[in-house]
């Protein structure tokens, strides 16, 4: 059920993204990035040990999406601050570059994990 995982990621991103600029008033970008990395790392670690698919969607999808959404507000807020007359262009550029980066890095991750395009064995591992 990849579609439900992706939906939960988008839901988490949309839920937390407006909070990022509010947090920038009280915390530095470094603190927000570290907190986001901690949430993402913890959600991936916990999701690796889950046996329930429903909880996997919540922990991996929603919590991972929240961590990603928190990070997306930082560059947008800073660019709006320095380029107040080009908000539309800035938004388009940042969101497009994020999508292109995800597309390219997902291919790189796949080629790193399974470079010979093999089928997994009965335990779900690659040789």
């Amino acid at each position: 059920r990849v579609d439900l995982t992706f939906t939960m990621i988008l839901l988490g991103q949309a839920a937390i993204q407006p909070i990022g600029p509010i947090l920038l008033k009280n915390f530095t970008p470094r603190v927000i990035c570290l907190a986001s990395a901690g949430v993402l790392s913890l959600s991936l670690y916990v999701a690796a040990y889950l046996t329930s698919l429903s909880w996997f969607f919540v922990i991996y999808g929603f919590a991972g999406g929240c961590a990603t959404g928190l990070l997306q507000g930082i560059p947008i807020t800073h660019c709006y601050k320095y380029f107040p007359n080009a908000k539309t262009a800035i938004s388009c550029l940042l969101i497009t570059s994020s999508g292109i980066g995800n597309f390219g890095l997902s291919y790189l991750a796949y080629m790193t994990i399974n470079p010979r395009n093999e089928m997994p064995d009965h335990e779900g591992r690659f040789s």
Side-chain angles (χ1 to χ4, degrees):
R1 302 282 329 214
V2 175
D3 54 343
L4 190 53
T5 305
F6 185 67
T7 303
M8 292 299 285
I9 289 172
L10 291 178
L11 184 64
Q13 285 178 348
I16 203 79
Q17 192 172 14
I19 297 173
I22 296 169
L23 290 176
L24 274 174
K25 293 177 183 175
N26 299 322
F27 301 101
T28 64
R30 179 178 293 163
V31 171
I32 296 172
C33 287
L34 288 173
S36 180
V39 169
L40 184 59
S41 299
L42 184 65
S43 69
L44 292 174
Y45 181 77
V46 170
Y49 293 100
L50 293 174
T51 56
S52 168
L53 192 58
S54 301
W55 278 107
F56 179 80
F57 292 142
V58 171
I59 299 297
Y60 179 80
F62 189 76
C66 285
T68 306
L70 188 61
L71 289 177
Q72 288 177 342
I74 296 172
I76 292 173
T77 303
H78 279 287
C79 288
Y80 283 3
K81 180 179 176 182
Y82 294 110
F83 303 103
N85 297 328
K87 290 183 178 182
T88 304
I90 293 293
S91 296
C92 291
L93 180 68
L94 290 176
I95 292 170
T96 302
S97 62
S98 175
I100 291 171
N102 288 336
F103 179 75
L105 291 176
S106 64
Y107 181 73
L108 178 65
Y110 177 77
M111 293 308 296
T112 303
I113 294 169
N114 189 8
R116 294 182 296 270
N117 199 20
E118 297 175 345
M119 295 297 293
D121 62 10
H122 66 282
E123 294 179 0
R125 297 188 174 113
F126 299 107
S127 58

